[in-house]
Structure formats: C-alpha cells, structure tokens
Amino acid sequence: MTLSPARVPVAAPGVRRLTATLYGYSFLDEFVLLYPVYTLLFADTGLSVGQMSSLFVLWSATGVLLEVPSGAWADAVSRRLLLWLGPLLGAAGFALWVFVPSYWAFAAGFVLWGARGAMGSGALEALVYEELERLGAADRYARIMGRAQAAGQIAVMTAMALAGPVFAAYGYPAVGAASVLACLLCAATATRFPEHRGPATAVPDGEGWAASLRSGLGEARRDHSVRGALLLVPAVAAVWGALDEYTPLLARDTGAADATIPYLLVMIWAGVTAGSLLAGPAERLGRRGFAALLTASALALAAGAGAGTPAGLALVAVAFGGFQLATVLADARLQQRIEGTGRATLTSVAGLGTELATITVYGTYAQLASTTAHGTAFALLAVPYLLVALLVAPRR
C-alpha cells in the first residue's frame, strides 16, 4: 500500500516536464516556413528538374547512410546530445540555402538536413520510452508519442498557412530566417529533455559505438518478437509516407482548382493529426484489431483515390489517419519489446527499413503513374496493406 502513493509525486512532475518538452520540441522541429517554398527557391535559382532530383537522392542517401550509425552513437553517448545537435545542423543547412543559393549550397544543406533527421530518429523514441519507464508510465508511450506527432503535424499546417503571406511580403530571406530561428529554438528546447542512463541501460565501460551496434542487432537476432516488431514499422509507415508526396497531384487529377488544392491537403493533414491523437485509446488493440485497422484504411484509400472527385479525398484523409495511427502503434510495440541497451540502435534500424522501403515505393509509383492515373496508382498501392493485415491477423 505504501509503494503506489510514494511513486505519484515523483512520477507526475517528471512526466509533465518530459511531455511539455517533447510537445514543444515536436512542434518546433516541423515549424519550418521553407517547407512549402523550397522547390520554388531551387527553380528561381536556375536548377533543372534533373538537378532537383539529384538533390532529393542525396538527401535520402544521407539518411540511409547515417540512420543506424547515429542510433548506435545515441546508445553509446547521449540521446539528448543528438536531439539538440541535429536542429543546429538543420539551421546551418537552411541558412546556406537562403543566403548563398547555388546547387552546391543546396547539396550541402540537404546533407545537413539528412544528418539532422538521422540524429533524431531512434534517439527521440528511445529517450522518451526509457524516461517514461523510469517514471512508471511506459504504458502511456503510444498516447504521448501520438500527441507529439500531432503537434508536429499542426506545426506543418501552421507553417503552410504562414509561409504564403510572409513570402509574399518579404521573400525568401524572411522564410529562411524564420526557419533558422525555429531550428535554434528546437535545439534549445532539446536541452531540457531529462536523461537518466542507469546501469540497466548504459553501455558497459570501455565500450562504445561498436558495442551499442552489436548489442542492438544481437537482440534482434535472438528475439523473434523484436524482429517481427522491427519489420512491422517499415511495413506500415513506408507506403503511405511516400504517397503523401504525391497527394497534390492526386488532388489536381480530381479536377480541383489549383487555388483549392492547399485546402484539400490541409484536410488530409487533419486526418493524419486525428490518427495521431487516437493512439492513446487505440493502444490496446490486439493483432486482430490492428489487422482490421490496416484493412479498413486500405479500403478507404482505394475507394477515395479511385473516386476521382474532391469529395473522395475525404476518404483518403480517413485512410491516412488510420495509417498514421498504425504507425504510432507499431513504434510503441517495438519499444515494448526491446529490453537491452540498444534501443536507439534498433529504432534506427526500423527507420532505415522505412527509408529503403520508401525509396522503393517512389520507384514503383513512378512506374505506375506513367501508365495510369494518379488515383489508380494510389488504389494499387493500398494492396500491400491488405497483405500486411493478413500476416498480422492471428491464425485460427
């Protein structure tokens, strides 16, 4: 009877500090006014479509190369260190883009941006889960991370709304300066994250990056439940994450006016945000419920995209919300199954799998869209989710 009351006063303030820092960090991490206009900056600087594509490949390649090493570094040194260092790299990259625009400045900026993403991936999830576990609140991980992702999605929508008037009034220097400032504030916020690396989670003395990498990969080899949870993350996150890049083209194919398309995209992002916020109530879904979620979302995606009307995009918003919810739940299940010292490493391995699968989806979409309408391509790429649902569903 004495244990529970003694825990509450310690856990409650600790959880509040952690979540307040996390939500602020997530918002500032995505509050980048350059996002909606950086391709315009490239075009106005004189870059061809081929040069822009080479920059996107460089960006993806940087993330792929650094994803796992940065996770192992976070396990060996400090998750908080990577969380405040990453936004500083992003600030440097955005400053290069706006103040010395050229192909090579853009390339350097994408390398810095890719490194920023890799540093946060794995480190953030590992820090949050282990701090919640220390406070006796690990069962709240899915709810808290869902709200954090919702904060980031709200930041994206807010940045999209503000970028237009700021750009119209003051041009690229203003949106660039605002983006750099957001990165600096994000780094400052990251320094407030609590981090307690006790004996159970610290890397053994005398060992470092390589030991963290071996520990994380070794756990995945030994434990089939960890391995299954590791594979589920990219299986859920990659397809819809790649399709999101093509939603403006899907909206235009419905016959919507260009001036209307931003509002349709905000509707889709609102669906994603709703999916994030539902993570708490849905975290008790079993395998059957998770499979049903994927199935219903896949059918909504196929029906909404195949309708070929602006109203059909409401179903696409529902589908994306379902996929976002499934993505949060898949990450939560992975964190629950990891028991060793390589939490950030294994989470980064899942992120690497997502990056590689996303690149594959980009190539597949390019092939499909060259011979079919965008709505048909979206509908066909709903099929992998039905296959994942079959694999996840419990056997009779």
Side-chain angles (χ1 to χ4, degrees), residues 133-311:
E133 190 174 45
R134 183 183 68 86
L135 296 166
D139 58 330
R140 298 175 59 186
Y141 175 82
R143 176 183 290 104
I144 288 170
M145 289 303 289
R147 290 174 179 174
Q149 293 195 23
Q153 289 143 12
I154 291 170
V156 170
M157 291 187 286
T158 305
M160 290 173 63
L162 291 176
V166 172
F167 177 70
Y170 305 107
Y172 292 118
V175 293
S179 301
V180 170
L181 177 60
C183 290
L184 296 177
L185 291 174
C186 185
T189 302
T191 62
R192 291 187 50 79
F193 273 117
E195 184 175 27
H196 300 81
R197 305 295 300 280
T201 57
V203 176
D205 291 339
E207 302 184 37
W209 180 88
S212 298
L213 186 60
R214 286 196 303 271
S215 174
L217 298 180
E219 184 173 359
R221 286 194 302 268
R222 293 188 302 270
D223 191 332
H224 70 88
S225 68
V226 173
R227 194 161 57 249
L230 199 63
L231 294 172
L232 182 62
V233 172
V236 170
V239 175
W240 82 272
L243 289 179
D244 177 57
E245 301 296 332
Y246 302 103
T247 50
L249 302 178
L250 177 66
R252 176 177 281 175
D253 259 14
T254 65
D258 284 354
T260 308
I261 289 176
Y263 299 106
L264 295 174
L265 298 183
V266 168
M267 177 181 67
I268 293 175
W269 272 95
V272 175
T273 304
S276 297
L277 294 174
L278 288 172
E283 61 184 324
R284 296 187 181 277
L285 283 178
R287 292 178 61 181
R288 190 183 305 278
F290 191 85
L293 173 64
L294 289 180
T295 301
S297 300
L299 295 176
L301 177 62
T309 64

Side-chain angles (χ1 to χ4, degrees), residues 234-392:
V236 170
V239 175
W240 82 272
L243 289 179
D244 177 57
E245 301 296 332
Y246 302 103
T247 50
L249 302 178
L250 177 66
R252 176 177 281 175
D253 259 14
T254 65
D258 284 354
T260 308
I261 289 176
Y263 299 106
L264 295 174
L265 298 183
V266 168
M267 177 181 67
I268 293 175
W269 272 95
V272 175
T273 304
S276 297
L277 294 174
L278 288 172
E283 61 184 324
R284 296 187 181 277
L285 283 178
R287 292 178 61 181
R288 190 183 305 278
F290 191 85
L293 173 64
L294 289 180
T295 301
S297 300
L299 295 176
L301 177 62
T309 64
L313 294 180
L315 280 177
V316 175
V318 171
F320 275 29
F323 292 139
Q324 168 64 11
L325 172 57
T327 301
V328 176
L329 296 178
D331 170 56
R333 294 181 184 196
L334 174 61
Q335 301 304 327
Q336 290 162 3
R337 283 161 175 75
I338 298 173
E339 296 182 353
T341 61
R343 184 176 300 278
T345 301
L346 282 173
T347 308
S348 291
V349 170
L352 173 61
T354 301
E355 289 282 351
L356 293 174
T358 299
I359 292 171
T360 302
V361 176
Y362 286 149
T364 303
Y365 190 93
Q367 293 295 320
L368 291 173
S370 65
T371 57
T372 65
H374 290 288
T376 304
F378 268 69
L380 290 173
L381 284 169
V383 173
Y385 284 111
L386 298 176
L387 300 177
V388 174
L390 286 174
L391 293 173
V392 170

